[in-house]
Amino acid sequence: MSASSAASRPAAMLGLSIREVSQALRDGRVSATELCRKCINQIQRTRYLNAFITITEETAMEQAQRTDSRLRTGKKGIPFSVKDNFCMENIETPCASGMLKGYVPPFNATVVQKLLDQGAVLVGKTNLVEFAMGAGSTDGVFGPVRNPWSYTSLYREQSTEDPDSDWAITGGSSGGSAAAVASLSSFLALGSDTGGSTRNPGSLCGVVALKPTYGLLSRHGLIPLVNSMDVPGIMTRSVHDAATVLRILQGRDERDSTTVQAPSTPPRLPEHFDIRDICVGIPKEYHAPGLSKDTLAQWSRVADMFEQAGARVQEVSLPHTQHSIVCYHVLCCCEVASNMARFDGLEYGHCSKVDSSTDAMYATTRHEVFNSVVRRRILSGNYFLLKSNYERYFVKAQQMRRLIAEDFKNVFRTGIDVLLTPTTLSDAARYSDFIQEDNRTRSAQEDVFTQPVNMAGLPAVTVPTALSHRGLPIGLQLIGQTLQDWKLLTVAQWMEQKVNFPMIHLHGESNERELNRSVRERTHTIGS
Amino acid sequence: MFCKCAARASRALRPTHPRCGVLTLPALSDTVSASGTSWSHWTYKRESSNSAWSSKVPQIPTWEPVAENQLPPPDLVDKLERLALVDFGSKEGVDCLEKAIRFADQLHVINTDGVEPMDSVLEDRELYLRDDTITEGECAEELLRLAKHTVEEYFVAPPGNIPLPKREERSAMLKHSEF
C-alpha cells in the first residue's frame, strides 16, 4: 500500500508509519488537529480493548491546534500514548493501582518531556498490570487489556465462541501501550521493560518493541520496579520509527544518575546495508520446553533467511539461560520489596483512616490497596532479604547475574553481532486459559526469553514476523551488544523488510475483506 | 542458647533459686566437679568459720541456659508481616511464598564459588556527577498538596514507636478497614 493511496483513505492514515505521516503533515495532506481527532476517534471505537486508563482528549486537541498554528518541522503533531507508570504533570497517574488512585504528579517524566518538546501530542495514558508486575496485563485495577488481533476476521473465523468471552491477552506488563499501537490508536507508545514488559506484549500484539541498553534512556519519572533493570521501552509499527524515537529520547539526564552518554547516532538508519557483514548467533538454550510449533517454525525460517542472504549464522551457547528466570525472580522480588516501601500513604497516594500508630496506618494503607501479586512479591522479597537468607538468596542471585552477563559477553567476544531468539513461547493465550495459573507461574513462563537481557543490560528488539495458525502475531527477538542499539536496529530493519508482516484489519472495517484474503494467502505461504 | 531473662522482660534479672547458696545449686553441681569440690568445700568451710557474716552473694553465675527446644517456634509469617507491613491475607498467600521459595531454591544447583556479586550492569563505567549547584527547588507547596494530612509545612504522621498489634488484633483492624 503506497503512501499516496493510503493518504486518500482517512482510516488508512492511522496505519502509516511515523515517517510517512510526518511527510503527510509536512505536505499539508493532513493537519495535526485532524490527525489527533482521528486517533481519538479510533480510541473510542476500540474502547472494548480497554487499552487506555486516561484519554487526554482536551489537552491533546489543544496541543495539536497549537502545533498547527506554528510552522515547525520535526515530529510535530504525532499522536503518542504513554504507559501509566510514567509521571505526567497534572495528569492522574494511578499506575493501575489503588495506591496511586488520585495521585497527580507535579512533574513530567524526562522521556515524556522530550517527546512533548518535539511537538508530539499525547492522546492518553495506557493500561498496564498493577505496578507493572506481571506478564498478562490481566491484573490491574482497571481490568485486563484485550489483544486487538482477537478482533480480526481471521481470528473470529477460527474461533467458535462469542467474541466477548473468547479474546486473547496482550501480554504484559505494557499491554495497553502495545494494544494502542497495534489498534492504530497511536503512532508510538512508551512502555517500560524490566523483564520483558515491552517486548512481550509487543510480540503478542504484532508491533515493534525496543528495549534500549540500560542507562541510555532516563528513568526519571518512571515509577520504579527494579532499579537495576528497568528501562523505558519504545513501541512502534516499524523499526525505522523505533530508531527515530530512540534518537530523540536517548542521552544523559541530570536527574537520573544511572544514565550514560549516548553514542553518536546518524540521522536515520542506513537504507542500504550488506547483511553479509553480519554474524547472527542462535543460542541453543532458547529452545525451551513449551516453545510452540509456530514459533519454532518462524525462528527457523528467519534464521534460514539470514543464511540464504549471505549472513554468517551459527549456533552458540548461553549456558546459564535455564536458571536465569530463577535469578530474575529473586532479584526482582528483593528490589520490589525495597521500592514498594515508599508507599506508606504519608506523603502521597492513598491513606487509610487508621491512625493509632504509624505502623498501623502503613499496614492498613498497604493492605487496602495492594493486590495479591504486589503483596506476594513484597513478602517474598523480604524473605530473601532476611539476615539469615541474604547470602543464600540475594547474594547468590547477584553472583548468578554476573554469570549470565558473562555468558553474553563471551558469545559477543567471538565475533557474533546479534543473537536471534524467540520472544515468547507461543502466540497470545486466550484470557480464559491464561488466568488458570497464578501470576508468578505465568511470569516465570512468559519472561523466559526476555529477562536474561535485562539482567545483562543489553539492547533487544522484537520484530513481528508472521501470524500463527490462530491468526495471532508471532515475533522474534534480536539481542545486541551494549550501546550498539543502532547496529541492532539496522539488522532488525533488514529482517522486517524481508518477513513482510501483514497489517491489522479490525473486524468491521470496509476494505478488510479484500485485504484479509491477501493476508491469508501470505500466511499460507509463510506456514508451508 | 537463649537467656530466659531476656525473653521475659517483666522478670528482673534474678537467679532461679534465690535462697540457694553455692553448694546446693542443682544445675551447677555437675560442673563443679572434682577440682571444684575442694574450692567450694573450702568456701563452705570458710563461710562456716565466719558464720556471722556468711555471704548471701552467690559466688558463681546462677543463670540456667535455655535450650532451643524450650522456645516457641519462630513465627516467620508474623515476622515478615511486621517487616514488610504487608499481610499475607490468607493461607493461599503463605502457600505462594512457600512455592516462591522452592522456586528460588533452584539457585543452589549452580556453583558460584569465587564469583563476584553483580550490583549493576554499569559497574565498569564512570557515572556522571553534576556540579553541586542548586538548579531547582522551591516546590514545597506542590509536594504538600499531594499528602492527605499536613500542617503548615509538615507532613503529619500518627504516633510512632508503637509496634504493630498482635496477630488477632491486626486481623480485626485490617478487616475493619476493608476498602
Side-chain angles (χ1 to χ4, degrees), chain A residues 276-352:
Chain A
R276 290 172 301 182
D277 294 333
I278 294 293
C279 185
V280 179
I282 310 283
K284 61 179 185 186
E285 291 84 2
Y286 277 65
H287 188 156
L291 187 66
S292 80
K293 277 211 298 275
D294 284 340
T295 310
L296 180 61
Q298 285 307 310
W299 192 17
S300 312
R301 167 192 167 222
V302 174
D304 292 346
M305 200 189 287
F306 274 108
E307 204 156 21
Q308 276 158 27
R312 279 161 296 143
V313 176
Q314 61 189 68
E315 191 187 80
V316 294
S317 175
L318 296 169
H320 295 95
T321 303
Q322 187 178 337
H323 305 280
S324 177
I325 185 75
V326 182
C327 179
Y328 172 74
H329 158 74
V330 173
L331 291 177
C332 180
C333 287
C334 291
E335 291 216 35
V336 157
S338 176
N339 274 324
M340 293 292 128
R342 73 190 66 197
F343 297 113
D344 54 22
L346 202 56
E347 289 135 331
Y348 49 79
H350 171 72
C351 180
S352 124

Side-chain angles (χ1 to χ4, degrees), chain B residues 52-70:
Chain B
W53 303 283
S54 71
S55 176
K56 303 295 182 291
V57 175
Q59 297 302 303
I60 43 179
T62 56
W63 293 6
E64 280 182 2
V66 177
E68 178 91 39
N69 55 25
Q70 285 177 283

Side-chain angles (χ1 to χ4, degrees), chain A residues 367 392-393 396 398 402, chain B residues 87 105 110 116 119 123:
Chain A
H367 166 84
R392 290 186 62 230
Y393 289 98
K396 180 85 183 182
Q398 287 191 309
R402 182 174 297 282
Chain B
D87 60 297
D105 281 336
I110 301 288
E116 250 326 281
D119 288 316
E123 59 186 6

Side-chain angles (χ1 to χ4, degrees), chain A residues 350-468:
Chain A
H350 171 72
C351 180
S352 124
K353 297 209 170 38
V354 170
D355 60 355
S356 45
S357 70
T358 38
D359 274 17
M361 185 196 95
Y362 295 170
T364 29
T365 300
R366 289 151 76 85
H367 166 84
E368 283 168 9
V369 291
F370 277 162
N371 73 6
S372 57
V373 174
V374 176
R375 279 196 232 170
R376 284 163 196 179
R377 289 208 191 181
I378 294 174
L379 288 163
S380 303
N382 273 297
Y383 177 83
F384 298 136
L385 291 170
L386 286 174
K387 246 200 294 220
S388 46
N389 294 332
Y390 193 80
E391 292 273 337
R392 290 186 62 230
Y393 289 98
F394 184 65
V395 176
K396 180 85 183 182
Q398 287 191 309
Q399 290 172 309
M400 267 284 274
R401 184 176 183 175
R402 182 174 297 282
L403 292 177
I404 290 159
E406 293 279 308
D407 277 357
F408 283 105
K409 278 205 191 103
N410 293 335
V411 159
F412 286 127
R413 242 200 298 267
T414 62
I416 302 285
D417 293 296
V418 294
L419 295 166
L420 175 70
T421 77
T423 313
T424 51
L425 284 169
S426 68
D427 58 1
R430 277 171 19 166
Y431 176 72
S432 44
D433 294 332
F434 189 80
I435 52 174
Q436 301 293 325
E437 289 279 8
D438 71 278
N439 182 289
R440 187 194 58 78
T441 316
R442 284 299 181 209
S443 296
Q445 295 160 348
E446 296 297 313
D447 290 341
V448 109
F449 300 131
T450 47
Q451 41 75 26
V453 171
N454 294 82
M455 301 237 274
L458 302 172
V461 64
T462 177
V463 178
T465 48
L467 296 177
S468 68

Side-chain angles (χ1 to χ4, degrees), chain A residues 150-314:
Chain A
S150 30
Y151 290 89
T152 57
S153 305
L154 211 58
Y155 183 81
R156 291 266 73 85
E157 265 163 37
Q158 49 86 47
S159 148
T160 48
E161 292 168 44
D162 167 32
D164 227 30
S165 53
D166 179 34
W167 47 272
I169 58 165
T170 48
S173 58
S174 315
S177 290
V181 174
S183 64
L184 315 184
S185 312
S186 298
F187 287 85
L188 84 107
L190 290 183
S192 67
D193 197 310
T194 305
S197 294
T198 300
R199 289 161 288 151
N200 178 296
S203 168
L204 298 184
C205 292
V207 299
V208 172
L210 168 67
K211 174 212 152 318
T213 303
Y214 178 84
L216 206 52
L217 262 55
S218 169
R219 287 181 299 116
H220 175 74
L222 169 63
I223 294 172
L225 194 62
V226 181
N227 292 329
S228 66
M229 297 187 214
D230 286 350
V231 183
I234 298 169
M235 289 174 160
T236 54
R237 286 189 295 272
S238 80
V239 175
H240 188 276
D241 288 350
T244 311
V245 177
L246 175 68
R247 217 165 162 275
I248 297 170
L249 299 182
Q250 67 184 3
R252 214 156 53 186
D253 181 17
E254 208 170 66
R255 298 190 172 101
D256 177 358
S257 64
T258 58
T259 50
V260 297
Q261 178 93 315
S264 66
T265 325
R268 56 180 60 85
L269 290 176
E271 290 284 344
H272 303 286
F273 148 78
D274 197 348
I275 197 70
R276 290 172 301 182
D277 294 333
I278 294 293
C279 185
V280 179
I282 310 283
K284 61 179 185 186
E285 291 84 2
Y286 277 65
H287 188 156
L291 187 66
S292 80
K293 277 211 298 275
D294 284 340
T295 310
L296 180 61
Q298 285 307 310
W299 192 17
S300 312
R301 167 192 167 222
V302 174
D304 292 346
M305 200 189 287
F306 274 108
E307 204 156 21
Q308 276 158 27
R312 279 161 296 143
V313 176
Q314 61 189 68

